[in-house]
């Protein structure tokens, strides 16, 4: 080649410095309680809550709605009109919390998402980077918290290895009681 040019993009393993990250080790039965605690105590302007399965999106959406949260749901099996309607309500502030699957992790362009909550630890570390990349955009600060059970530890380790740093451990004892990662692990 004569006079070649190289163009590179940041690898998918990098996370924005503007995002405050943390992981809470909880018993699977206490995940909802911890999420409620964060939604009630953090200054959440708007937030995305990621689940690994669309069934869990629906279940969590119903539970949050029942408890009075301004919430919507977004997953890949929704028709395009419903997805666009839900996203528009989220953008306009009509919905404060959007429970979603990874369909929202890539390509969702909402400039000022204050929080990302990983209700489920992603099984692929790249998905973690894409999920938390929805906050802390364009120089803004953001917060990304993750709930992890004992069974999730291998996925948390893979995420930490890929991003090249350990995630800070968040204190959860005051919010949910005993939160030992050795506690019995069951889905809520």
């Amino acid at each position: 080649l004569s006079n070649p040019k190289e163009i590179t993009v940041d690898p998918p393993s990098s996370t924005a410095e503007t995002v405050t990250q943390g992981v809470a080790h909880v018993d699977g039965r206490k995940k909802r309680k911890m999420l409620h605690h964060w939604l009630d105590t953090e200054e959440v302007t708007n937030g995305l809550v990621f689940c690994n399965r669309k069934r869990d999106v629906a279940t969590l959406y119903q539970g949050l709605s029942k408890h009075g949260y301004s919430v919507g749901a977004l997953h890949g099996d929704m028709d395009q009109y419903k997805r666009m309607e839900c996203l528009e309500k989220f953008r306009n502030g009509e919905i404060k919390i959007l429970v979603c699957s990874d369909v929202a992790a890539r390509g969702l362009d909402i400039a000022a998402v204050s929080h990302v909550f990983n209700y489920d630890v992603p099984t692929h570390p790249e998905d973690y980077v894409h999920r938390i990349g929805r906050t802390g955009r364009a120089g803004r600060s953001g917060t990304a918290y993750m709930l992890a059970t004992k069974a999730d530890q291998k996925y948390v380790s893979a995420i930490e290895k890929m991003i090249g740093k350990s995630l800070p451990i968040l204190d959860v004892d005051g919010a949910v009681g005993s939160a030992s990662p050795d506690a019995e692990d069951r889905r809520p």
Side-chain angles (χ1 to χ4, degrees), residues 24-28 30-31 34 147-150 172 176 179-181 185:
H25 295 283
V26 296
D27 179 298
K30 295 183 179 181
K31 286 171 71 170
M34 190 66 219
L147 294 165
T149 65
K150 182 179 178 183
V172 297
V176 297
S180 167
D185 182 19

Side-chain angles (χ1 to χ4, degrees), residues 141-156:
S141 62
T143 302
Y145 291 157
M146 183 165 54
L147 294 165
T149 65
K150 182 179 178 183
D152 295 323
Q153 191 53 49
K154 66 181 176 183
Y155 302 122
V156 173

